[in-house]
């Protein structure tokens, strides 16, 4: 069982590309953001707790997110691979994932880092607010999400750089252009 991680700043298109990647290669797509939004809709205790953190653009506490991932890896164990979208986002989450993967005999293959310029991303997110009506795509919240990304999430890249699992992709341009870049890297390095 293999794990692929889609990594990048808010609005870089991780979700879109992670879904396409999973579908194309027959893996299970797992987005912690989507799972948390489902918990909110279902009105669970976890959802209630997560809601305020998310609406403010803050990270949901590690323990809650790790519990969700742990459950998914067990429930979805029949899949040949997982595509994580939005996880891990902190050092603690990355360390826990290493432990969980080792315990379950799973390997983290590659981290696909979607690189894009911040000003373009903010514009993209503000447009998404109009289309999807997402609670956390307002200007103040977006700024906070970028601050948190730089402080807590970006440093996690070093964890994977050190392990030689890091692949950078230019995330600017159309969905199809970015998809083609990822596909080319898949053939060259990601799958090995
Ligand atoms: P984006 O990448 O555009 O911020 P996501 O759907 O991945 O969108 O995440 C939305 C929100 O969900 C985050 O701002 C955060 O509050 C919460 N969240 C998602 N994944 C995690 C995670 N791994 N750890 C903590 N919080 C998370």
């Amino acid at each position: 069982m293999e794990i692929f991680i889609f990594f990048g700043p808010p609005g870089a298109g991780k979700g879109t590309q992670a879904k396409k990647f999973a579908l194309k290669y027959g893996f299970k797509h797992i987005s912690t953001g989507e799972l948390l939004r489902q918990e909110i809709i279902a009105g669970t205790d976890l959802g209630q707790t997560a809601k305020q953190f998310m609406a403010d653009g803050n990270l949901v506490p590690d323990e809650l997110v790790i519990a969700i991932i742990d459950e998914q890896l067990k429930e979805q164990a029949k899949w040949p691979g997982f595509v994580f979208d939005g996880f891990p986002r902190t050092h603690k989450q990355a360390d826990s994932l290493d432990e969980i993967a080792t315990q379950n005999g799973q390997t983290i293959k590659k981290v696909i880092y979607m690189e894009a310029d911040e000003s373009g991303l903010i514009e993209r997110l503000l447009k998404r607010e109009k289309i999807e009506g997402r609670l956390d795509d307002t200007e103040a919240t977006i700024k906070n999400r970028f601050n948190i990304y730089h402080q807590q999430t970006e440093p996690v890249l070093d964890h994977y750089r050190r392990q030689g699992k890091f692949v950078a992709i230019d995330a600017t341009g159309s969905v199809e252009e970015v998809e083609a870049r990822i596909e080319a890297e898949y053939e060259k390095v990601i799958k090995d």
Side-chain angles (χ1 to χ4, degrees), residues 10-11 14 32-34 36-37 53-54 57-60 65 86-87 89 93 125 128 134 136 145:
K14 292 188 296 288
T32 40
E34 264 175 28
L36 288 165
R37 284 188 285 276
F53 290 101
M54 291 172 78
N58 290 321
L59 292 181
V60 171
V65 177
F87 178 89
R89 264 174 149 104
Q93 291 179 18
L125 287 167
R128 184 164 80 185
R134 253 178 66 162
D136 55 350
R145 279 156 64 205

Short mmCIF file of all heavy atoms in Angstrom, two decimals, residues 10-11 14 32-34 36-37 53-54 57-60 65 86-87 89 93 125 128 134 136 145, ligand 1:
data_model
loop_
_atom_site.label_atom_id
_atom_site.label_comp_id
_atom_site.label_asym_id
_atom_site.label_seq_id
_atom_site.Cartn_x
_atom_site.Cartn_y
_atom_site.Cartn_z
N PRO A 10 -2.94 27.24 0.42
CA PRO A 10 -4.36 27.27 0.12
C PRO A 10 -4.59 27.77 -1.30
O PRO A 10 -3.92 28.71 -1.74
CB PRO A 10 -4.93 28.28 1.13
CG PRO A 10 -3.91 28.38 2.22
CD PRO A 10 -2.59 28.06 1.59
N GLY A 11 -5.51 27.13 -2.01
CA GLY A 11 -5.88 27.60 -3.34
C GLY A 11 -4.97 27.14 -4.46
O GLY A 11 -5.19 27.50 -5.63
N LYS A 14 -4.73 21.76 -4.96
CA LYS A 14 -4.43 20.42 -4.43
C LYS A 14 -5.62 19.48 -4.59
O LYS A 14 -5.46 18.35 -5.02
CB LYS A 14 -4.17 20.47 -2.91
CG LYS A 14 -2.95 21.16 -2.46
CD LYS A 14 -2.75 20.95 -0.94
CE LYS A 14 -3.85 21.54 -0.08
NZ LYS A 14 -3.86 23.00 -0.01
N THR A 32 -8.63 15.82 4.20
CA THR A 32 -9.05 16.08 5.59
C THR A 32 -10.04 17.25 5.63
O THR A 32 -10.98 17.22 6.42
CB THR A 32 -7.83 16.37 6.51
OG1 THR A 32 -6.89 17.17 5.80
CG2 THR A 32 -7.18 15.09 6.96
N GLY A 33 -9.85 18.26 4.77
CA GLY A 33 -10.80 19.38 4.72
C GLY A 33 -12.21 18.89 4.41
O GLY A 33 -13.19 19.26 5.07
N GLU A 34 -12.33 18.00 3.39
CA GLU A 34 -13.65 17.47 3.02
C GLU A 34 -14.24 16.61 4.13
O GLU A 34 -15.43 16.70 4.44
CB GLU A 34 -13.54 16.61 1.76
CG GLU A 34 -13.86 17.37 0.50
CD GLU A 34 -13.62 16.55 -0.76
OE1 GLU A 34 -13.73 15.30 -0.72
OE2 GLU A 34 -13.31 17.16 -1.80
N LEU A 36 -13.65 16.83 7.28
CA LEU A 36 -14.07 17.71 8.38
C LEU A 36 -15.38 18.42 8.03
O LEU A 36 -16.28 18.53 8.88
CB LEU A 36 -12.97 18.74 8.69
CG LEU A 36 -11.72 18.18 9.37
CD1 LEU A 36 -10.56 19.18 9.30
CD2 LEU A 36 -12.00 17.82 10.83
N ARG A 37 -15.51 18.87 6.77
CA ARG A 37 -16.76 19.53 6.38
C ARG A 37 -17.93 18.55 6.47
O ARG A 37 -19.04 18.92 6.85
CB ARG A 37 -16.64 20.14 4.98
CG ARG A 37 -15.83 21.44 4.97
CD ARG A 37 -15.86 22.17 3.63
NE ARG A 37 -15.03 21.54 2.63
CZ ARG A 37 -13.71 21.73 2.49
NH1 ARG A 37 -13.07 22.54 3.31
NH2 ARG A 37 -13.03 21.10 1.55
N PHE A 53 -12.66 26.44 14.42
CA PHE A 53 -11.27 26.53 13.95
C PHE A 53 -11.27 26.80 12.45
O PHE A 53 -10.52 27.65 11.95
CB PHE A 53 -10.51 25.22 14.23
CG PHE A 53 -10.24 24.97 15.69
CD1 PHE A 53 -11.02 24.10 16.42
CD2 PHE A 53 -9.18 25.60 16.32
CE1 PHE A 53 -10.76 23.86 17.77
CE2 PHE A 53 -8.90 25.37 17.65
CZ PHE A 53 -9.70 24.49 18.39
N MET A 54 -12.10 26.07 11.73
CA MET A 54 -12.10 26.19 10.27
C MET A 54 -12.64 27.53 9.81
O MET A 54 -12.09 28.16 8.91
CB MET A 54 -12.91 25.04 9.65
CG MET A 54 -12.22 23.70 9.81
SD MET A 54 -13.24 22.34 9.29
CE MET A 54 -13.08 22.45 7.52
N GLY A 57 -10.11 30.04 9.88
CA GLY A 57 -8.91 29.77 9.08
C GLY A 57 -7.77 29.20 9.91
O GLY A 57 -6.62 29.21 9.49
N ASN A 58 -8.09 28.70 11.11
CA ASN A 58 -7.07 28.08 11.95
C ASN A 58 -7.04 26.58 11.70
O ASN A 58 -8.00 26.01 11.17
CB ASN A 58 -7.36 28.34 13.43
CG ASN A 58 -7.15 29.80 13.79
OD1 ASN A 58 -6.20 30.42 13.30
ND2 ASN A 58 -8.02 30.35 14.61
N LEU A 59 -5.95 25.95 12.13
CA LEU A 59 -5.87 24.50 11.98
C LEU A 59 -6.72 23.84 13.06
O LEU A 59 -6.76 24.29 14.20
CB LEU A 59 -4.42 24.02 12.11
CG LEU A 59 -3.48 24.41 10.98
CD1 LEU A 59 -2.08 23.84 11.23
CD2 LEU A 59 -3.99 23.93 9.62
N VAL A 60 -7.35 22.76 12.68
CA VAL A 60 -8.08 21.92 13.63
C VAL A 60 -7.02 21.17 14.45
O VAL A 60 -5.97 20.80 13.90
CB VAL A 60 -9.00 20.97 12.83
CG1 VAL A 60 -9.64 19.93 13.73
CG2 VAL A 60 -10.06 21.78 12.07
N VAL A 65 -7.55 15.49 13.79
CA VAL A 65 -7.25 15.19 12.39
C VAL A 65 -6.56 13.82 12.28
O VAL A 65 -6.89 13.02 11.40
CB VAL A 65 -6.36 16.31 11.80
CG1 VAL A 65 -5.98 16.00 10.39
CG2 VAL A 65 -7.07 17.65 11.88
N GLY A 86 -4.19 17.80 1.78
CA GLY A 86 -4.34 18.66 2.97
C GLY A 86 -3.89 18.00 4.26
O GLY A 86 -4.22 18.49 5.34
N PHE A 87 -3.18 16.93 4.17
CA PHE A 87 -2.63 16.24 5.33
C PHE A 87 -1.32 15.59 4.93
O PHE A 87 -1.24 15.01 3.85
CB PHE A 87 -3.61 15.15 5.82
CG PHE A 87 -3.08 14.37 7.00
CD1 PHE A 87 -3.32 14.79 8.30
CD2 PHE A 87 -2.33 13.21 6.81
CE1 PHE A 87 -2.81 14.08 9.38
CE2 PHE A 87 -1.83 12.50 7.89
CZ PHE A 87 -2.07 12.93 9.17
N ARG A 89 -0.29 18.61 7.87
CA ARG A 89 -0.13 20.07 7.84
C ARG A 89 0.72 20.59 8.99
O ARG A 89 0.94 21.80 9.07
CB ARG A 89 -1.52 20.72 7.96
CG ARG A 89 -2.15 21.12 6.65
CD ARG A 89 -3.57 21.60 6.98
NE ARG A 89 -4.05 22.61 6.10
CZ ARG A 89 -4.94 22.38 5.12
NH1 ARG A 89 -5.36 21.17 4.85
NH2 ARG A 89 -5.40 23.38 4.41
N GLN A 93 1.63 16.02 12.83
CA GLN A 93 0.85 15.17 11.92
C GLN A 93 1.78 14.33 11.05
O GLN A 93 1.52 13.16 10.79
CB GLN A 93 -0.07 16.03 11.03
CG GLN A 93 -1.20 16.69 11.80
CD GLN A 93 -2.10 17.57 10.93
OE1 GLN A 93 -2.11 17.46 9.71
NE2 GLN A 93 -2.86 18.44 11.57
N LEU A 125 -8.99 32.15 -4.49
CA LEU A 125 -9.80 31.77 -3.33
C LEU A 125 -11.01 32.68 -3.17
O LEU A 125 -12.10 32.23 -2.82
CB LEU A 125 -8.94 31.80 -2.06
CG LEU A 125 -7.95 30.65 -1.94
CD1 LEU A 125 -6.94 30.92 -0.83
CD2 LEU A 125 -8.66 29.33 -1.68
N ARG A 128 -13.58 31.51 -5.44
CA ARG A 128 -14.21 30.27 -4.97
C ARG A 128 -15.30 30.58 -3.95
O ARG A 128 -16.33 29.92 -3.93
CB ARG A 128 -13.14 29.35 -4.36
CG ARG A 128 -13.71 28.01 -3.94
CD ARG A 128 -12.63 26.98 -3.71
NE ARG A 128 -12.00 27.14 -2.41
CZ ARG A 128 -10.96 26.43 -2.00
NH1 ARG A 128 -10.41 25.53 -2.79
NH2 ARG A 128 -10.45 26.62 -0.82
N ARG A 134 -17.91 28.82 0.41
CA ARG A 134 -17.19 28.23 1.55
C ARG A 134 -16.96 29.26 2.63
O ARG A 134 -16.51 30.36 2.36
CB ARG A 134 -15.85 27.66 1.07
CG ARG A 134 -15.85 26.16 1.04
CD ARG A 134 -14.56 25.64 0.54
NE ARG A 134 -13.45 25.93 1.46
CZ ARG A 134 -12.29 25.27 1.41
NH1 ARG A 134 -12.09 24.33 0.52
NH2 ARG A 134 -11.34 25.58 2.26
N ASP A 136 -14.75 29.63 4.81
CA ASP A 136 -13.41 30.08 5.16
C ASP A 136 -12.72 30.83 4.02
O ASP A 136 -11.56 31.15 4.11
CB ASP A 136 -12.55 28.90 5.63
CG ASP A 136 -12.48 27.76 4.63
OD1 ASP A 136 -13.25 27.79 3.64
OD2 ASP A 136 -11.65 26.86 4.81
N ARG A 145 -5.07 31.92 6.90
CA ARG A 145 -4.69 30.59 6.40
C ARG A 145 -3.28 30.62 5.78
O ARG A 145 -2.53 29.67 5.93
CB ARG A 145 -5.73 30.07 5.40
CG ARG A 145 -6.94 29.47 6.13
CD ARG A 145 -8.18 29.47 5.29
NE ARG A 145 -8.12 28.64 4.10
CZ ARG A 145 -8.86 28.85 3.02
NH1 ARG A 145 -9.70 29.86 2.98
NH2 ARG A 145 -8.75 28.05 2.00
P1 LIG B 1 -7.36 24.70 1.76
O1 LIG B 1 -6.18 23.82 1.44
O2 LIG B 1 -7.79 25.51 0.58
O3 LIG B 1 -7.13 25.54 2.98
P2 LIG B 1 -8.85 22.42 2.91
O4 LIG B 1 -10.20 21.93 2.53
O5 LIG B 1 -7.70 21.49 2.73
O6 LIG B 1 -8.63 23.78 2.10
O7 LIG B 1 -8.84 22.86 4.45
C1 LIG B 1 -9.83 23.73 4.99
C2 LIG B 1 -9.66 23.88 6.52
O8 LIG B 1 -9.83 22.60 7.15
C3 LIG B 1 -8.28 24.35 6.98
O9 LIG B 1 -8.15 25.74 6.95
C4 LIG B 1 -8.26 23.79 8.42
O10 LIG B 1 -9.04 24.58 9.30
C5 LIG B 1 -8.98 22.46 8.28
N1 LIG B 1 -8.01 21.35 8.00
C6 LIG B 1 -7.93 20.59 6.86
N2 LIG B 1 -6.93 19.71 6.92
C7 LIG B 1 -6.34 19.90 8.13
C8 LIG B 1 -5.22 19.32 8.79
N3 LIG B 1 -4.50 18.34 8.22
N4 LIG B 1 -4.90 19.78 10.04
C9 LIG B 1 -5.60 20.75 10.64
N5 LIG B 1 -6.65 21.36 10.07
C10 LIG B 1 -7.03 20.95 8.83
#
